[in-house]
Amino acid sequence: MHRGAPYAEQDEEQPLQVAGRPHGAGTKKGVELPPAPEGITSPSTTTPGHRLRVRYAKRGRMRFASHRDIARALERALRRAAVPVAFSQGFSPHPKISYTGAAPTGVASEAEYLELTLTEERPPEGVRAGLDTAMPDGIDVVEVVEARRSGLADRLQASLWSVELAGVGPDDAAEAVATYLAADSVEVERVTKKGRRRFDTRSAVVHIDVSGDTAESEPEGRHAAYAILHMVVRHMQPAVRPNDVLTGLHHVADLAPPSSTTVTRLAQGPLDEATGAIADPLTVDRTDAQATSTGTADPYAEERRDNAPQPSASTAGPSR
């Protein structure tokens, strides 16, 4: 994807949010609205603003959008949806948006997170509806909650990935995974910002489950045999990506898919080391907001119950 070009065209092709119109009222993606006025931004501010946390998904061809492409699209959507985002001070003010744990380019995701600071309070659901309408097709704003506690980045301890291996049978994949998991260390090389680095991938992998199909007739658009890996990977430095794990599988078990893989992040959040389960990172904020609105005597009782990690295998992903 050429940087800048896809979103230069979105001004005419994507729906815009009209200032003063209720967020999401009578609008949907694909409906053209008048363009937002250029040059109108929220004022710089040094006072604490209203913080919101956003979960969004990138699907379809938008998985090939770079992080910079998505950031540019978000800033444009904030203007179209008339969201009063706060700006930093200085000679080059920039919107106060914090991105956390972005997925690599070429990877789809159901669980990307960012944090916004606004100059005034806005209903989270109104912000969600307005942003979702203004964002390009393939970038969907799933949920917006108030930031009730600090440390969102610290909660994103691991990710659950789905990796589809077309042309690889489940039995072959399971044998390769068993060999990989039995190894004490599986090192791979990758070019990073600091140059070519060699690092261990095995220590980051919590577990890998294998499923798939070995149909005799080839389904439409898919190889007759295919395996799906569901892997939970810790967030480490340097980051261990699904492709690094696949490279490790090739090194130790000679597993080499005949065609490109399809990778999707299904979830990321707090990791239960004992069970390998991943919890929802927004549960704490959501529960605190609910306790405040209802006046619950012990808001942490509900938090302890809802924030309990659930089995990773049950995490819902995109429909196949």
Side-chain angles (χ1 to χ4, degrees):
M1 172 173 293
H2 298 289
R3 292 184 177 179
Y7 299 109
E9 299 174 357
Q10 295 292 344
D11 285 336
E12 297 182 357
E13 296 178 358
Q14 296 300 325
L16 312 180
Q17 182 71 33
V18 179
R21 177 178 295 183
H23 292 302
T27 62
K28 62 180 181 179
K29 292 187 178 182
V31 177
E32 184 174 341
L33 296 176
E38 292 296 332
I40 296 180
T41 60
S42 298
S44 301
T45 176
T46 57
T47 59
H50 183 57
R51 292 188 301 135
L52 298 177
R53 286 173 178 152
V54 179
R55 175 189 170 193
Y56 68 95
K58 58 173 186 172
R59 300 163 173 154
R61 66 186 183 90
M62 289 306 294
R63 69 184 184 275
F64 298 111
S66 69
H67 174 67
R68 184 171 298 180
D69 290 330
I70 293 175
R72 200 155 34 222
L74 175 67
E75 292 176 19
R76 186 168 298 179
L78 287 168
R79 294 197 302 269
R80 293 170 173 170
V83 177
V85 63
F87 276 67
S88 64
Q89 290 188 318
F91 292 104
S92 301
H94 58 273
K96 291 187 175 181
I97 306 172
S98 176
Y99 298 89
T100 304
T105 302
V107 173
S109 178
E110 294 295 310
E112 298 296 288
Y113 295 92
L114 60 86
E115 186 171 286
L116 300 171
T117 300
L118 308 186
T119 58
E120 60 186 62
E121 288 194 15
R122 287 292 177 87
E125 178 55 26
V127 173
R128 187 209 66 78
L131 282 180
D132 186 56
T133 300
M135 290 292 277
D137 289 334
I139 301 295
D140 300 312
V141 181
V142 179
E143 184 180 11
V144 176
V145 301
E146 292 185 47
R148 292 287 177 149
R149 301 193 194 183
S150 61
L152 175 62
D154 294 334
R155 301 177 208 169
L156 304 183
Q157 301 171 350
S159 289
L160 170 62
W161 302 93
S162 170
V163 183
E164 295 189 20
L165 308 176
V168 176
D171 293 339
D172 294 335
E175 184 177 348
V177 166
T179 302
Y180 178 91
L181 295 178
D184 294 329
S185 174
V186 180
E187 293 189 344
V188 302
E189 286 189 355
R190 190 180 76 224
V191 177
T192 68
K193 293 180 180 179
K194 297 182 179 180
R196 182 172 293 277
R197 296 191 61 178
R198 188 172 184 84
F199 55 92
D200 176 39
T201 63
R202 177 62 189 89
S203 59
V205 176
V206 179
H207 65 76
I208 304 177
D209 296 325
V210 182
S211 61
D213 195 5
T214 53
E216 295 181 1
S217 59
E218 181 176 334
E220 182 180 355
R222 175 177 292 160
H223 291 263
Y226 67 96
I228 303 175
L229 309 182
H230 286 93
M231 59 179 71
V232 173
V233 182
R234 295 183 185 88
H235 295 172
M236 303 175 63
Q237 290 296 332
V240 175
R241 303 169 179 173
N243 283 342
D244 297 325
V245 178
L246 292 178
T247 301
L249 286 168
H250 178 65
H251 288 344
V252 301
D254 199 28
L255 182 69
S259 61
S260 60
T261 59
T262 301
V263 181
T264 303
R265 171 148 54 192
L266 301 180
Q268 62 173 323
L271 173 67
D272 186 323
E273 291 285 354
T275 64
I278 295 178
D280 185 344
L282 299 183
T283 297
V284 174
D285 302 292
R286 195 184 302 114
T287 303
D288 280 6
Q290 192 175 45
T292 300
S293 63
T294 59
T296 305
D298 182 13
Y300 302 104
E302 186 174 358
E303 173 189 328
R304 286 191 293 271
R305 183 181 69 251
D306 292 345
N307 202 35
Q310 301 299 317
S312 299
S314 64
T315 303
S319 58
R320 297 183 55 79

